[in-house]
Amino acid sequence: DIQMTQSPSSVSASVGDRVTITCRASQGINTWLAWYQQKPGKAPKLLIYAASSLQSGVPSRFSGSGSGTDFTLSINSLQPEDFATYYCQQGDSFPRTFGQGTKVEIK
Amino acid sequence: ELQLVESGGGLVQPGGSLRLSCAAFGFTFDSYAMSWVRQAPGKGLEWVSSISGSGVTTYYADSVKGRFTISRDNSKNTLFLQMNSLRADDTALYYCARWGDYYDSYIEWGQGTLVTVSS
């Protein structure tokens, strides 16, 4: 099974900050990597697919990069509505696996 | 409108069974693989099971293999998860999710149905 490891597990930031979250796969997954945002009491929402493609309707302050085993989600100019938990997920093979999540909190 | 609506959750005793349903609206259901993903209280996302659009191919997490069965009725645009021999660690919010092959990711999620396993 492919293990997905996110860091940090939580980050405190202020509105306007740039936040970077990393996700590492235990083996190469090409660019079969997605990022989701989850707010309390809500279902996850797809932000980024294929490591760097922005899902329709997602603000351009979100961006993704990486390939192989190392990936990054960046949020430029953090907005109040961006405080949430973010998960990476590999789509290379079954079992589908998610990272443990990164909670972005208000400083 | 694109929508996934789960139902069937509830309180069940350890060793009991439950059948979850997910009704799909607004897209060609049999064109998409579907999955169940769960989230224990206060925890992260855990993939449970997936099924191909035709229903022929299925996959399961080791934690549920042999106890859970995923199926679908394409004539009724509905996904199912039959859960047997339930354990306390199966307690979670169960989401159904639509897989987008082009996106290689879950492009749509339901709101979830809560399963609580407790005596």
Side-chain angles (χ1 to χ4, degrees):
Chain A
D1 299 0
I2 299 174
Q3 308 303 317
M4 307 300 293
T5 304
Q6 283 182 238
S7 61
S9 55
S10 66
V11 57
S12 294
S14 301
V15 172
D17 285 352
R18 175 184 170 90
V19 170
T20 299
I21 300 168
T22 64
C23 179
R24 175 163 289 175
S26 60
Q27 63 190 71
I29 58 169
N30 200 338
T31 56
W32 304 123
L33 191 283
W35 290 98
Y36 302 88
Q37 176 193 65
Q38 187 180 33
K39 297 181 180 180
K42 299 293 186 182
K45 171 189 170 184
L46 178 64
L47 297 177
I48 301 284
Y49 63 93
S52 61
S53 296
L54 197 66
Q55 172 67 335
S56 176
V58 174
S60 59
R61 61 181 179 273
F62 291 92
S63 64
S65 65
S67 67
T69 60
D70 294 312
F71 302 88
T72 299
L73 172 69
S74 295
I75 311 172
N76 284 319
S77 188
L78 200 66
Q79 297 300 299
E81 60 268 29
D82 300 336
F83 292 96
T85 300
Y86 294 85
Y87 295 92
C88 62
Q89 170 251 317
Q90 63 84 14
D92 178 80
S93 62
F94 287 97
R96 305 293 191 211
T97 41
F98 292 86
Q100 78 277 20
T102 295
K103 187 173 184 179
V104 178
E105 300 174 298
I106 301 173
K107 181 184 283 185
Chain B
E1 179 188 358
L2 290 168
Q3 199 174 6
L4 297 171
V5 180
E6 301 96 334
S7 61
L11 175 63
V12 60
Q13 292 188 337
S17 298
L18 216 52
R19 190 193 198 202
L20 306 184
S21 299
C22 171
F25 303 93
F27 63 95
T28 306
F29 185 63
D30 61 6
S31 294
Y32 292 89
M34 299 291 295
S35 296
W36 290 97
V37 177
R38 69 184 180 184
Q39 187 168 36
K43 302 298 184 182
L45 301 170
E46 179 188 15
W47 172 81
V48 173
S49 182
S50 294
I51 187 168
S52 62
S54 65
V56 169
T57 305
T58 59
Y59 302 90
Y60 297 94
D62 285 346
S63 59
V64 307
K65 199 172 295 182
R67 300 187 299 122
F68 291 10
T69 302
I70 192 171
S71 62
R72 62 192 298 161
D73 184 339
N74 286 343
S75 69
K76 297 182 178 179
N77 290 353
T78 304
L79 175 72
F80 302 101
L81 186 68
Q82 177 66 43
M83 304 186 296
N84 298 330
S85 303
L86 283 161
R87 311 185 304 219
D89 62 358
D90 294 317
T91 294
L93 186 63
Y94 285 72
Y95 294 103
C96 72
R98 177 166 69 120
W99 182 258
D101 282 337
Y102 171 79
Y103 302 87
D104 198 55
S105 55
Y106 293 111
I107 55 177
E108 188 179 1
W109 300 66
Q111 287 306 301
T113 186
L114 181 63
V115 173
T116 303
V117 184
S118 175
S119 55

